[in-house]
Amino acid sequence: MAPAKQSTEEAMVSTFNQTIEQEEYREEEQRGEEDESLGGFKSFLWHGGSVYDAWFSCASNQVAQVLLTLPYSFSQLGMLSGIILQIFYGILGSWTAYLISVLYIEYRGRKEKENVSFKNHVIQWFEVLDGLLGPCWKAVGLAFNCTFLLFGSVIQLIACASNIYYINDKLDKRTWTYIFGACCATTVFIPSFHNYRIWSFLGLGMTTYTAWYLTIAALAHGQVEGVKHSAPTELVLYFTGATNILYTFGGHAVTVEIMHAMWKPQKFKYIYLVATVYVFTLTLPSAAAVYWAFGDQLLTHSNAFSLLPRSRWRDAGVILMLIHQFITFGFACTPLYFVWEKVIGMHETKSLCLRAIVRLPVVIPIWFLAIIFPFFGPINSAVGALLVSFTVYIIPSLAHMLTYRSSSARHNAAEKPPAILAHSWTAMYVVNTFIVIWVLVIGFGFGGWASMANFIKQVDTFGLFAKCYQCPSKASPPAGAVHH
């Protein structure tokens, strides 16, 4: 037993030293690239990989257009359910982000022991699943992740058109979608998540402004005459709203890429939780205030901007959200760019212009889908139920349980269970099993049924390729009218 124990300890020390050497190499490489290629102030804005960069990326990516649809969800759920479900899914989302980070460290540690270099290669979630659980899991992870990111990008384009319409309604929303599709295509020139430092910082500032504008403007406006807060009234509406909140805290499709962009990814573990706590300070007050002011009117106004009176403050919020949605489009699309580059064998190409050209085919289907399905709120719920439920919650929980199903895997795990669970593997399995069952039944089952029923209703009402979804009739009075 003694030699075996000694051998295990030596292997652990060797792995630890190898990890430190790898980190030091990456930091030296990072500094060299900054000094040689970017230099000074430009590198400060462009090339990030610190804990703070990761926090800004997580928080910025988590809150984008969904900030404008949460009051709509409250009108479906009611105030109490809306608040409780935000906190509940925020905690669940933070937990599964932690699981993904653990599996990334496990995968990377195993590969580095095999002397695999990731110098010009970005690790992605499907590769982690492949390395730990095999090709079947790779296929499942790739399918769900890519589809989720595809529709996440679609949602950003729809949101851009929906928002700009409240500043300039001379063009319909479909035309604005054409315009913003061309603008968002420029994200092909952003190489990786290292290069989102200034964008993440600005993006979070923009959503912070917009969230507090919504809160203050709604409170200053006061309750509309005869306001009603009748939710919850129908199961379809209730579970549609619940899945939109499930989607809110499901920004995990880029978690691995954000970790890989860090100089020390081992420090990621609790970043997502801290980001979520900050996000609560934006989403809870704004959604509650707008729902308090407008009540059931939100059932026919999935974008909160549509109910607030035109002002310089609102226009500023719209413009800032437009810029942020451009950033979030890049966040969602960049992993898709990586996948496409790997498929066609161009991922390790150093030419930025060449990589930008080969990435363009990824943008075209996103652009087309945004024009076909311009349903701002309902598509969030559908994506949440059918894609986020598996990508963000079920697959990471199952993958963690299967990766550490053997006693030897648990003994040699790169990360032990956290102190909050008394370092107990049994407690880990209990929590993960609960998440799988809850999300499978409530999120995917009831949520999928409700969101698809609502989505089909929108298609029947407005049709595909709707020219101006939920736009007011030109003959309608401008103030206080309900949009149909």
Side-chain angles (χ1 to χ4, degrees), residues 133-147:
L133 297 173
C136 291
W137 278 86
K138 173 186 177 180
V140 171
L142 186 61
F144 275 104
N145 222 43
C146 287
T147 310

Side-chain angles (χ1 to χ4, degrees), residues 140-310:
V140 171
L142 186 61
F144 275 104
N145 222 43
C146 287
T147 310
F148 171 35
L149 289 167
L150 178 74
F151 279 98
S153 304
V154 168
I155 289 168
Q156 301 310 317
L157 284 188
I158 297 171
C160 284
S162 178
N163 288 343
I164 193 63
Y165 184 80
Y166 299 114
I167 289 181
N168 185 340
D169 61 359
K170 293 180 181 179
L171 299 177
D172 59 73
K173 291 182 183 179
R174 188 170 65 193
T175 303
W176 280 119
T177 304
Y178 292 136
I179 294 169
F180 278 101
C183 294
C184 288
T186 59
T187 57
V188 298
F189 290 100
I190 302 177
S192 73
F193 283 94
H194 273 303
N195 312 113
Y196 274 96
R197 165 174 280 184
I198 187 63
W199 296 113
S200 298
F201 175 77
L202 292 175
L204 190 58
M206 293 166 187
T207 48
T208 299
Y209 169 89
T210 304
W212 285 108
Y213 158 72
L214 292 174
T215 304
I216 295 169
L219 294 175
H221 181 279
Q223 292 185 314
V224 296
E225 185 177 352
V227 65
K228 293 182 179 179
H229 300 89
S230 56
T233 56
E234 300 177 23
L235 284 177
V236 169
L237 293 178
Y238 187 86
F239 285 107
T240 301
T243 51
N244 187 41
I245 293 180
L246 179 144
Y247 170 83
T248 302
F249 298 97
H252 303 29
V254 296
T255 297
V256 170
E257 289 83 357
I258 292 172
M259 283 189 70
H260 191 81
M262 294 178 67
W263 300 323
K264 296 184 178 180
Q266 293 85 350
K267 293 185 176 182
F268 182 87
K269 287 189 291 185
Y270 303 113
I271 287 175
Y272 199 92
L273 176 61
V274 178
T276 299
V277 171
Y278 180 78
V279 166
F280 284 151
T281 69
L282 307 181
T283 59
L284 288 171
S286 60
V290 175
Y291 178 55
W292 168 83
F294 298 100
D296 289 355
Q297 286 189 22
L298 286 158
L299 289 170
T300 50
H301 296 75
S302 56
N303 189 324
F305 279 138
S306 64
L307 284 169
L308 291 165
R310 178 79 181 266

Side-chain angles (χ1 to χ4, degrees), residues 53 118 124 141 150 156 160 250 283 289 311 318 327 349 379 410:
D53 290 308
F118 298 105
Q124 295 187 267
L150 178 74
Q156 301 310 317
C160 284
T283 59
S311 68
V318 170
I327 298 167
T349 301
I379 198 172
R410 293 192 294 272

Side-chain angles (χ1 to χ4, degrees), residues 19-35:
T19 301
I20 295 298
E21 289 171 2
Q22 181 75 11
E23 289 175 1
E24 290 174 349
Y25 169 78
R26 287 163 60 209
E27 288 178 332
E28 288 173 3
E29 180 186 48
Q30 179 77 26
R31 285 192 292 268
E33 288 176 355
E34 289 176 355
D35 292 340

Side-chain angles (χ1 to χ4, degrees), residues 432-451:
N432 290 342
T433 302
F434 168 78
I435 292 173
V436 170
I437 294 172
W438 176 275
V439 176
L440 189 63
V441 174
I442 303 299
F444 177 73
F446 286 102
W449 158 72
S451 60

